[in-house]
Amino acid sequence: MAIKEKNILNRLYFIAAVMLVFAIVVVAKLINIQFVEGDQYRQKAQERVFRTFDIPANRGNLYDSKGNLLATSVTKYDIRFDAVTVTDKDFRDHIKPLCEALSQEFGKPVSYYDKLIRTARGNKNRYLLIRRNLGYSQYMRVKEFPLFELGANRGGFIVEQRTVREHPIGKIAERTVGYERRDENGYYTRVGLEGAYGPFLRGKEGKRKKQKIAKNQWKPIGDANEVEPQDGFDVISTIDVNIQDIAHHALLAQLEKYEAEHGTVVVMEMKTGEIKAISNLGRTQKRKYYEKLNYAVGESHEPGSTFKLMTMVAALEDRVIDSSYVVDTENGRVKFYDRVVKDSRWGGYGKISAAKAFELSSNTAFAKIVNEKYKDNPRKFVDRLINMGLAETLGLSIKGEGVPKIPYPGDDDWYGTTLPWMAHGYGVSLTPLQTLAFYNAIANDGEMVKPRFIKEVKTWDKTRERFEKEILNPTICSKETAKIVQEMMKNVVKRGTAGNIRTDNFEIAGKTGTCWGNYGKDKEREYISSFAGYFPADQPVYSSIVVIHNPDTKKGYYGSEVAAPVFKTIATKIYNDIPVIDEVSKVTVESKFVKKSYDNYYQKVQKYKTIMPDVTGMPAMDVISLLENMGLNVKVKGSGSVKKQSVAPGTKVKKNQTISLELS
């Protein structure tokens, strides 16, 4: 019996010891949680109820070269109501005047808002949506409504602000203007100028604390931000909206006429490399056109006969021919191994000079010249092309530049037919902008400048960074060779393949191109029509390229009839409608309007938020954004630039004060 009792006591002692150890572990864990890991767990609990959210900063404005807005950030406000935090007395005293004010502001019946708010209070809704997308002036009015004027805690007023990116010129140059978007993981997608210069435009995000409420929603705490967002810098581009408009509509009209798949136009200032217009239009399934992709920058393709300029320059520089060199085009059909080079004219052109072959765009002549002069040393021809910079990208600020292709002897895709086919633009690959850079260099007597999209980055009162002319190659060829091919390109328009775009007002120099887009494929033949050149031919100011893909062959497909007329339309309107002499004289001078806008108006507004600036002469879009951000109510009559303002410059203004603007 004693033995049994002893065993029972041992078991009890063991159980007690285990329980003691367990109690010690629990106490130790509690101490650890409370004093060692306490801050961490309290932080986690806090984050389940309270969280700090990023507030996107207002992106800087993107301007054209003359101060017109291409893209701007507009602040929008969402108004919500916490129906629980308001006391019964405040609710009874203010519900009727609040509903009347909302009705007058937004046009819905008083009964609608009365039912909406009372239902929300009955359901204990702490996040009732009142209105989305309010402008600054309207937000300031709503903020002063009965009950809302009591603030977030007593009046239940909740405001959430967002920035919306708007393009005042609409869809024109949309792909070039581009965008910058960040996903939930913090990764950016960058397109066009917005993407390339995002670090300047972006600004610094602010911080705002929010509290978690019902239905996994987050309500802002208080009216103020913990950290205010800092606006981004403004970027001044090289684009001229007037030239952009001309280029866009000229291309669009031709695409619609020939029912083409897509096309691109670029206009560049010859001396500086500034891109004045770039339009990229692609066709939708509904046969409408919009800025689909940046074909000018990203689409590398066979250039066809526009490459004959590169071939001619190489042959002249290597002194294997001169402009009077005679070549026999035979019957317009010349066979190289198992393939035949064909001229567009049946029967050929007979025996013609190299200069004439360029004017008439003879494929057989160029194929024979290059094959005869370089077949024993094809590297000499290719090395000349490479030395002229044709194998390298331009190093553009805009992402996605297409990679050029210049075949080299010994490559897997080098065949016996490669050399003669390269001579007239097949087997090589360039983007439209890369081709234009070469043509621009010839107009510039051999100096190749880098195409440039940006002039400067500015804050309100000073230039942060200025982008100057950049020379890629000071001499792609001798001035003598440049002069010879300049004359050839004039004759292309005077009496050659582009004679249809000749004008008596000024001279155009350039080269047509017609390239098979799907040769060797068993389907209906497609073409790429192009024209590259510059104007006025004697004293060049602008260079330009037009490329149109897959026009309806029943309506036409030659570069002379599809692409060249677009070039003529653009050149004529620029030459006639825009004073070319004035443009040239102001190339190196800062625009007076831009200087006035930034260094005078904006500087004053930044320093004196309550002083009315002189806004006469400024574009309406700029003025409205400027004055609304000062807290003024703006009324506008007319369109265009500001002709007259109701409040005199220098006058002290108050928030919610109304100013009327008369536009020209």
Side-chain angles (χ1 to χ4, degrees):
M1 188 70 177
I3 295 174
K4 183 180 291 188
E5 290 178 355
K6 185 176 181 179
N7 289 336
I8 292 173
L9 286 173
N10 289 338
R11 291 174 183 175
L12 288 173
Y13 292 150
F14 176 77
I15 292 172
V18 170
M19 293 181 67
L20 177 62
V21 171
F22 180 76
I24 292 172
V25 170
V26 170
V27 171
K29 188 65 176 177
L30 289 173
I31 293 173
N32 182 66
I33 291 174
Q34 181 68 26
F35 298 104
V36 179
E37 299 179 354
D39 291 341
Q40 179 182 346
Y41 284 103
R42 278 189 287 272
Q43 179 67 24
K44 289 182 178 180
Q46 185 84 352
E47 289 177 356
R48 292 179 63 87
V49 180
F50 300 96
R51 185 178 299 173
T52 300
F53 288 80
D54 291 332
I55 302 174
N58 284 332
R59 288 178 70 86
N61 292 331
L62 179 62
Y63 291 89
D64 85 336
S65 59
K66 295 183 177 178
N68 298 299
L69 275 170
L70 297 178
T72 186
S73 290
V74 178
T75 303
K76 297 293 183 181
Y77 300 86
D78 295 343
I79 304 301
R80 294 180 180 271
F81 177 60
D82 183 349
V84 176
T85 192
V86 180
T87 65
D88 290 339
K89 183 179 185 305
D90 285 336
F91 189 84
R92 288 193 305 270
D93 293 344
H94 296 95
I95 181 64
K96 184 177 179 180
L98 172 62
C99 293
E100 290 173 347
L102 290 171
S103 175
Q104 184 176 358
E105 183 70 29
F106 301 123
K108 291 187 177 182
V110 174
S111 59
Y112 168 82
Y113 289 105
D114 185 78
K115 180 180 179 181
L116 179 71
I117 295 174
R118 290 184 185 277
T119 301
R121 187 166 177 83
N123 295 335
K124 300 185 183 302
N125 189 340
R126 306 196 66 180
Y127 204 57
L128 173 67
L129 177 65
I130 300 296
R131 194 75 174 186
R132 292 186 187 274
N133 296 324
L134 299 185
Y136 180 79
S137 297
Q138 198 170 27
Y139 154 66
M140 293 300 293
R141 288 196 298 271
V142 173
K143 187 178 180 181
E144 301 301 322
F145 283 179
L147 191 60
F148 287 173
E149 65 183 350
L150 300 178
N153 295 326
R154 185 180 171 190
F157 183 70
I158 302 171
V159 58
E160 294 179 327
Q161 69 181 60
R162 298 174 289 107
T163 55
V164 179
R165 203 64 171 165
E166 293 188 352
H167 297 165
I169 63 173
K171 296 295 183 180
I172 296 177
E174 183 179 38
R175 198 69 186 180
T176 301
V177 171
Y179 57 84
E180 182 183 57
R181 296 171 184 164
R182 188 175 70 171
D183 62 20
E184 62 276 6
N185 298 316
Y187 295 108
Y188 285 94
T189 300
R190 297 183 173 95
V191 173
L193 298 176
E194 289 266 26
Y197 295 92
F200 291 115
L201 292 163
R202 197 180 304 142
K204 294 183 179 180
E205 294 179 333
K207 302 290 182 182
R208 187 167 195 183
K209 186 169 287 187
K210 295 184 180 183
Q211 180 182 4
K212 190 175 183 180
I213 57 178
K215 298 180 181 180
N216 203 33
Q217 295 174 325
W218 293 86
K219 184 189 80 168
I221 300 174
D223 296 329
N225 299 320
E226 275 67 37
V227 178
E228 290 297 329
Q230 296 180 23
D231 292 349
F233 300 139
D234 293 336
V235 173
I236 315 299
S237 76
T238 62
I239 299 294
D240 184 316
V241 292
N242 295 320
I243 299 178
Q244 180 68 45
D245 183 67
I246 291 169
H248 172 89
H249 287 97
L251 176 63
L252 177 61
Q254 200 75 339
L255 290 173
E256 291 176 337
K257 178 179 178 180
Y258 285 92
E259 299 181 17
E261 182 182 272
H262 67 270
T264 184
V265 169
V266 185
V267 180
M268 182 161 67
E269 193 171 74
M270 188 267 290
K271 287 292 185 183
T272 65
E274 292 186 359
I275 300 298
K276 292 301 177 183
I278 177 169
S279 182
N280 302 279
L281 297 175
R283 187 175 60 193
T284 67
Q285 292 182 346
K286 296 182 179 180
R287 308 190 77 80
K288 300 292 183 181
Y289 293 92
Y290 77 110
E291 289 266 340
K292 194 174 183 179
L293 296 170
N294 198 331
Y295 303 110
V297 170
E299 186 175 43
S300 188
H301 60 84
E302 291 177 314
S305 292
T306 53
F307 195 79
K308 288 172 182 171
L309 175 65
M310 294 71 160
T311 300
M312 180 61 73
V313 171
L316 292 173
E317 281 292 279
D318 287 338
R319 300 187 182 279
V320 297
I321 65 167
D322 58 23
S323 60
S324 62
Y325 178 82
V326 176
V327 58
D328 187 0
T329 63
E330 301 179 21
N331 63 349
R333 301 291 185 271
V334 178
K335 190 172 184 179
F336 296 89
Y337 297 95
D338 60 340
R339 299 180 65 185
V340 177
V341 176
K342 302 175 183 179
D343 280 329
S344 60
R345 176 176 174 177
W346 287 93
Y349 302 100
K351 293 181 179 180
I352 56 176
S353 68
K356 195 68 176 177
F358 188 87
E359 294 173 24
L360 300 174
S361 197
S362 171
N363 295 334
T364 58
F366 274 81
K368 288 186 69 174
I369 289 172
V370 170
N371 189 67
E372 291 173 2
K373 301 301 180 181
Y374 293 99
K375 63 181 178 181
D376 295 331
N377 186 12
R379 283 182 172 82
K380 182 178 181 180
F381 177 70
V382 178
D383 286 342
R384 174 62 67 179
L385 298 178
I386 292 173
N387 289 337
M388 292 190 296
L390 293 172
E392 300 293 331
T393 60
L394 299 170
L396 303 175
S397 56
I398 291 181
K399 304 296 182 183
E401 181 182 1
V403 178
K405 176 187 176 183
I406 302 293
Y408 200 83
D411 290 348
D412 292 339
D413 58 351
W414 184 275
Y415 307 102
T417 56
T418 300
L419 193 60
W421 253 255
M422 287 178 65
H424 60 290
Y426 288 88
V428 297
S429 184
L430 296 170
T431 67
L433 197 50
Q434 289 161 0
T435 299
L436 177 60
F438 189 91
Y439 273 74
N440 191 80
I442 296 300
N444 208 14
D445 293 335
E447 182 182 82
M448 180 180 282
V449 296
K450 183 177 180 178
R452 186 157 51 94
F453 294 90
I454 294 297
K455 293 172 74 76
E456 59 182 322
V457 176
K458 300 197 73 169
T459 56
W460 293 104
D461 57 349
K462 66 179 180 179
T463 296
R464 300 282 303 189
E465 188 169 349
R466 190 181 296 275
F467 298 84
E468 304 291 350
K469 171 183 175 180
E470 185 175 341
I471 299 174
L472 296 176
N473 190 335
T475 52
I476 64 168
C477 65
S478 65
K479 288 187 177 182
E480 179 186 3
T481 296
K483 295 296 183 184
I484 292 172
V485 292
Q486 286 170 9
E487 197 62 32
M488 289 182 185
M489 283 194 283
K490 289 181 186 178
N491 290 334
V492 168
V493 179
K494 284 181 180 179
R495 56 176 184 251
T497 55
N500 59 310
I501 67 168
R502 180 178 177 178
T503 175
D504 295 331
N505 296 331
F506 62 98
E507 273 195 293
I508 294 172
K511 181 70 184 74
T512 57
T514 307
C515 177
W516 291 351
N518 62 339
Y519 58 90
K521 297 180 181 179
D522 187 20
K523 63 178 182 178
E524 185 179 351
R525 181 160 292 170
E526 298 176 356
Y527 290 89
I528 302 172
S529 305
S530 58
F531 185 89
Y534 54 89
F535 64 94
D538 290 331
Q539 294 182 326
V541 178
Y542 298 106
S543 61
S544 180
I545 188 169
V546 181
V547 181
I548 295 178
H549 287 251
N550 196 18
D552 186 343
T553 55
K554 296 177 182 178
K555 296 184 176 183
Y557 56 87
Y558 285 113
S560 60
E561 59 184 341
V562 178
V566 178
F567 186 101
K568 180 182 179 180
T569 298
I570 295 170
T572 301
K573 288 188 176 181
I574 292 175
Y575 186 83
N576 291 337
D577 298 344
I578 300 177
V580 175
I581 294 178
D582 289 347
E583 288 288 332
V584 175
S585 65
K586 292 182 181 180
V587 166
T588 58
V589 179
E590 184 179 20
S591 167
K592 291 181 179 178
F593 176 74
V594 175
K595 181 175 178 61
K596 189 178 182 183
S597 298
Y598 283 93
D599 298 342
N600 188 10
Y601 302 143
Y602 289 166
Q603 184 179 8
K604 286 182 179 179
V605 173
Q606 181 68 8
K607 190 173 182 180
Y608 306 108
K609 289 288 187 179
T610 60
I611 302 300
M612 183 64 204
D614 182 0
V615 297
T616 55
M618 294 178 63
M621 179 63 71
D622 289 1
V623 175
I624 294 172
S625 177
L626 174 65
L627 298 182
E628 284 193 345
N629 284 327
M630 291 177 64
L632 302 176
N633 298 324
V634 184
K635 292 185 177 180
V636 178
K637 181 180 180 182
S639 61
S641 301
V642 178
K643 181 180 178 182
K644 187 177 180 181
Q645 60 188 85
S646 61
V647 179
T651 304
K652 189 175 181 64
V653 294
K654 299 178 181 179
K655 282 191 175 182
N656 298 323
Q657 183 175 344
T658 299
I659 176 173
S660 299
L661 303 176
E662 183 179 338
L663 308 182
S664 59

